[in-house]
Amino acid sequence: MDHILYSITTEHDPRWLLAAGLICVLGMATAMHLLAAARLQSGHKRRNRVLLAAFISGLAVFTTHFVALQGYQPGHEIRYALWPTIGSFSLALGSFGIAAVTVMLRPSPLFRGGAALLALAGVAGMHFLGISGLQLAGAVSWEPGLAAIAVGGALVIGMMTGALVFGPGLKRILATAVGGAIAVGFLHLTAMSAMVITPRTGVDTTLAVSGGVMTGVIAAMVLAIVGVAAMFGWTSWASQSGALKRLREAMDAMPDGMAYYDADDRLVLWNQRYEEMVPELSPALRVGATFREIIEIGLAQDLYSDARGRQAEWFQDRLESRKALTTTREQKLADGRWIRASDRLTAAGGIVTVCTDITDLKNDARALAEARDVAESANSAKSLFLANMSHEIRTPLNGVIGVAQALARTPLSSQQEEMLELIQSSGHTLQVLLNDILDLARVESGRLELSHEPFHLGRAVREAAQLYETSADAKGLQFFVEIAEETDRWIVGDVVRVKQILTNLVSNAVKFTGSGFVSLTAAPGPDRDGTPTLRFSVEDTGIGFDSDTRDRLFSRFEQADGAITRRFGGSGLGLAISRQLAEMMGGYLDCESEPGGGSSFILTIPFQAAEAPAAPAVVDIPPGDDDQARVRVLLADDHPVNRKVVEMILGQVNVELTSVENGAEAVQACRDGDFDIILMDMQMPVMDGLTATREIRLNEAAMGLARTPVIMLTANALAEHIIAAETAGADRHLAKPFDAAELLQLVATLPQMTAASLAA
């Protein structure tokens, strides 16, 4: 230790040592910066930067060594042997080149430490080779202990610096440079203290240069290091300045306001849009202003309308949400504008605040909400109109069809039968049109629900075809119905909707065919996604249509052309509803045709086989005056025509009918007498049918009476009406105009079915 201190304080000039240390730090920092930049590049740019870093670091260490030697004071002029000096320079460059390549291979702590060992080993070789080339007053040798300490200490310091300190960032680069300079200084000073000079006789004739020449060379090297460092420093500054300028331009071009606050929530940077977002706060935007101060100024100017009357609470909530850094707030300003503010944390602990003007979005949302309310109101009005229209049309239509059905059960002349058939046909046409309109409304509103019940497919197909067999015969058409054996069985589905589609297709085929044939076939279809299907085909030799007509045929209110409508009639709703029903069933409806060559409509639906259910018992009401077999029926309906229709239908069988005009009278009649079945209208004055049904059920429960079946015999035929009737306590819902046979069947069977279920 005494040797080391003596070497530092006595044998060396501290000014030269300080200069050597600064040169080493500057050169090493420049080399580290080049290596960090090279890691982000590729190709020849990466290679050139690595080579330059190796050259600068080797040059810096070599220069450090000989600048320190300039401060060595042996008491006489030092001359430098040429070839050992050149060899030491080459050794420094080579070792740092290998170290630079090692670091670039894999920047892990192991590789960084290994690269430092290689570099410092080369520095040690450079030092001892360079010292051996000094022409001093005697022969140079070293104390082995101090020499080993010099080399070992330098290697340890260099390895720890490379493995633990070296990394990205200015601070780590400078720390690495300082650590490397310490390692080089420790090696030089400790090795110099280990040097032993033994006097000798004779003259050294080795080729050497004087100290003045070496000083000039060292000065050139120092200028080179400083120049390279200055160049890359300026390049780095210019690059950062240009990047910052481009970043600033990009920020100012943003449509949103953006500001950056540091870790202490002080304003550092913001764009022009941030100032424009809230002009009242523009004077408060200065570097160093805290977010708290800016918000307090906004509160003082009453900028935040949602903070009025609760400023302290709003202020605290705003600061807490900013600390959370996970929320996006929408703030309404005093001038009616809306601002959305988002706060996000940066890696350095700062906060980026982004403000967006969402006034247009809020206005659009409000307009959409108003439009939605208007649409819902219009939809409600439409539903109400359809319900009223259904009720008002069904009531007189029920009179027409009901009277015609009652009249058909009486003796008639051939002319009267012909007139009655016209009445029934016209009534049926009106009923189909009314049902199509209501089905369309239900499909549009999503209220149409399909049933999944067992039904006999063959029977349903024959019944659908039978309705138009007479019309086909009257036109002289051949009419075929073919049902494959595999499909003539029970399946699960909605029989009403299947028959609705088939009757519509058969009706159109008969309507648009003047000669030839109409056929309806049912057969198994191709599997779809592993599911078996049914395929119905309705073919005819009618007028047909072209491809343009085919594209719009399934649209609502569409037929082939205006002449078709004038010639054949129709609303153009049937095919549109049929396709929608098919899609609701999970199937598809399509067609093929050509003008004058007939048409073929193909319906495909899923096929799910079912077992035949037990056949229900059918009970007829015998005619006659047997009081014991007579069914006691209570009819509640405010419309006299409807009451007359029911009286005419039930008057032909053994029924004791009591008629009332409103729900209140129906409730009182139930309290005063016993009835086997109640026929209840839904819309009546004084008390409606739903309320009356609920009152009857309450009276039965209170008095312990048996349940009397209630049939809602009403013109309210929408799905919500059926649900309301079931909720009120009705057992069945029969929409007007009803079928006389169906009414007679219900009157005959429902009382016995109700009694059997209660007994069970």
Side-chain angles (χ1 to χ4, degrees), residues 75 83 105 107 136 141 237 269 317 341 386 406 421 455 506 541 665:
W83 296 115
L105 286 177
L136 299 175
S141 62
W237 175 85
L269 184 67
D317 180 56
L386 287 174
E421 183 178 349
F455 71 94
V506 174
T541 55
E665 293 180 0

Side-chain angles (χ1 to χ4, degrees), residues 383 386-387 390 438 441-442 447 715-723 733:
S383 298
L386 287 174
S390 172
L438 294 179
R442 282 195 285 262
R447 298 176 183 175
N716 294 335
L718 298 180
E720 56 266 30
H721 298 144
I722 299 175
I723 295 174
H733 184 281

Side-chain angles (χ1 to χ4, degrees), residues 413-616:
S413 64
S414 58
Q415 185 178 12
Q416 289 172 331
E417 289 179 352
E418 183 178 357
M419 289 188 291
L420 182 60
E421 183 178 349
L422 291 174
I423 295 174
Q424 290 177 322
S425 175
S426 299
H428 175 71
T429 301
L430 286 174
Q431 186 175 5
V432 170
L433 177 60
L434 179 61
N435 289 336
D436 283 347
I437 294 174
L438 294 179
D439 282 344
L440 177 63
R442 282 195 285 262
V443 170
E444 283 185 340
S445 63
R447 298 176 183 175
L448 183 64
E449 296 182 359
L450 300 178
S451 64
H452 296 276
E453 298 177 353
F455 71 94
H456 196 279
L457 180 63
R459 186 185 307 157
V461 173
R462 294 183 184 93
E463 289 175 352
Q466 187 177 6
L467 293 174
Y468 299 95
E469 188 174 2
T470 303
S471 301
D473 289 340
K475 298 179 70 173
L477 302 176
Q478 292 181 295
F479 194 80
F480 305 106
V481 178
E482 298 179 2
I483 304 173
E485 183 178 353
E486 301 92 324
T487 61
D488 196 5
R489 56 167 301 160
W490 288 84
I491 68 169
V492 175
D494 191 325
V495 62
V496 175
R497 298 306 176 184
V498 171
K499 291 174 67 174
Q500 181 178 349
I501 298 174
L502 295 179
T503 54
N504 182 72
L505 298 179
V506 174
S507 172
N508 286 342
V510 173
K511 181 192 300 184
F512 297 120
T513 302
S515 61
F517 72 90
V518 172
S519 68
L520 168 60
T521 61
D527 288 359
R528 180 182 297 176
D529 297 330
T531 302
T533 63
L534 289 170
R535 187 176 187 272
F536 302 91
S537 177
V538 177
E539 300 180 3
D540 62 65
T541 55
I543 60 176
F545 46 84
D546 56 23
S547 58
D548 292 337
T549 302
R550 179 183 181 276
D551 293 337
R552 57 186 174 84
L553 194 61
F554 292 97
S555 301
R556 295 164 188 169
F557 306 106
E558 287 285 355
Q559 289 189 338
D561 53 45
I564 294 294
T565 304
R566 292 189 297 271
R567 179 181 174 186
F568 297 100
S571 64
L573 287 175
L575 289 177
I577 295 173
S578 295
R579 171 170 279 187
Q580 288 177 308
L581 289 175
E583 291 174 353
M584 290 178 66
M585 294 178 187
Y588 194 72
L589 176 62
D590 206 350
C591 63
E592 298 175 356
S593 182
E594 60 181 21
S599 305
S600 176
F601 285 80
I602 300 96
L603 169 66
T604 304
I605 61 174
F607 172 55
Q608 182 179 353
E611 297 296 330

Side-chain angles (χ1 to χ4, degrees), residues 76 134-140 196-200:
H76 58 83
L134 295 181
Q135 293 184 352
L136 299 175
V140 178
V196 177
I197 301 176
T198 304
R200 64 183 173 183

Side-chain angles (χ1 to χ4, degrees), residues 176-445:
T176 304
V178 171
I182 292 173
V184 172
F186 180 84
L187 171 66
H188 176 87
L189 294 174
T190 306
M192 290 298 290
S193 66
M195 187 172 61
V196 177
I197 301 176
T198 304
R200 64 183 173 183
T201 60
V203 179
D204 190 351
T205 59
T206 304
L207 183 62
V209 296
S210 65
V213 173
M214 197 64 189
T215 301
V217 172
I218 292 173
M221 290 181 176
V222 170
L223 289 176
I225 295 172
V226 172
V228 172
M231 180 185 69
F232 280 98
W234 180 87
T235 303
S236 177
W237 175 85
S239 176
Q240 292 179 359
S241 178
L244 185 61
K245 182 179 179 181
R246 291 190 294 271
L247 177 61
R248 183 74 188 190
E249 292 175 350
M251 288 178 59
D252 287 335
M254 289 178 59
D256 299 330
M258 189 181 77
Y260 172 68
Y261 293 80
D262 62 14
D264 296 324
D265 215 7
R266 294 174 299 190
L267 185 60
V268 177
L269 184 67
W270 66 95
N271 64 355
Q272 186 67 30
R273 182 59 178 156
Y274 193 73
E275 292 187 24
E276 297 172 353
M277 198 72 68
V278 186
E280 295 84 353
L281 292 178
S282 180
L285 300 181
R286 54 179 175 79
V287 176
T290 65
F291 182 78
R292 174 187 288 267
E293 293 172 349
I294 296 173
I295 292 297
E296 287 176 343
I297 293 174
L299 282 174
Q301 296 184 10
D302 193 27
L303 294 181
Y304 313 112
S305 60
D306 52 348
R308 291 171 181 167
R310 59 183 194 97
Q311 286 85 351
E313 179 185 354
W314 185 92
F315 179 71
Q316 188 64 30
D317 180 56
R318 181 67 185 94
L319 293 182
E320 290 179 357
S321 67
R322 184 172 176 82
K323 291 179 182 178
L325 297 174
T326 56
T327 58
T328 298
R329 295 178 62 92
E330 294 182 354
Q331 300 174 179
K332 185 177 182 181
L333 303 182
D335 58 1
R337 291 183 299 122
W338 282 86
I339 301 296
R340 177 186 291 141
S342 302
D343 301 318
R344 293 293 181 268
L345 187 67
T346 67
I351 298 176
V352 175
T353 298
V354 178
C355 296
T356 306
D357 191 332
I358 58 171
T359 305
D360 292 340
L361 291 177
K362 286 290 185 179
N363 292 337
D364 292 344
R366 183 171 60 253
L368 287 174
E370 293 174 354
R372 179 200 62 207
D373 294 340
V374 171
E376 289 179 351
S377 177
N379 189 53
S380 298
K382 182 185 74 172
S383 298
L384 180 61
F385 168 76
L386 287 174
N388 291 334
M389 181 191 72
S390 172
H391 183 274
E392 295 304 319
I393 294 178
R394 285 178 182 277
T395 297
L397 187 59
N398 182 62
V400 173
I401 295 178
V403 170
Q405 289 176 339
L407 187 60
R409 300 171 70 93
T410 63
L412 298 173
S413 64
S414 58
Q415 185 178 12
Q416 289 172 331
E417 289 179 352
E418 183 178 357
M419 289 188 291
L420 182 60
E421 183 178 349
L422 291 174
I423 295 174
Q424 290 177 322
S425 175
S426 299
H428 175 71
T429 301
L430 286 174
Q431 186 175 5
V432 170
L433 177 60
L434 179 61
N435 289 336
D436 283 347
I437 294 174
L438 294 179
D439 282 344
L440 177 63
R442 282 195 285 262
V443 170
E444 283 185 340
S445 63

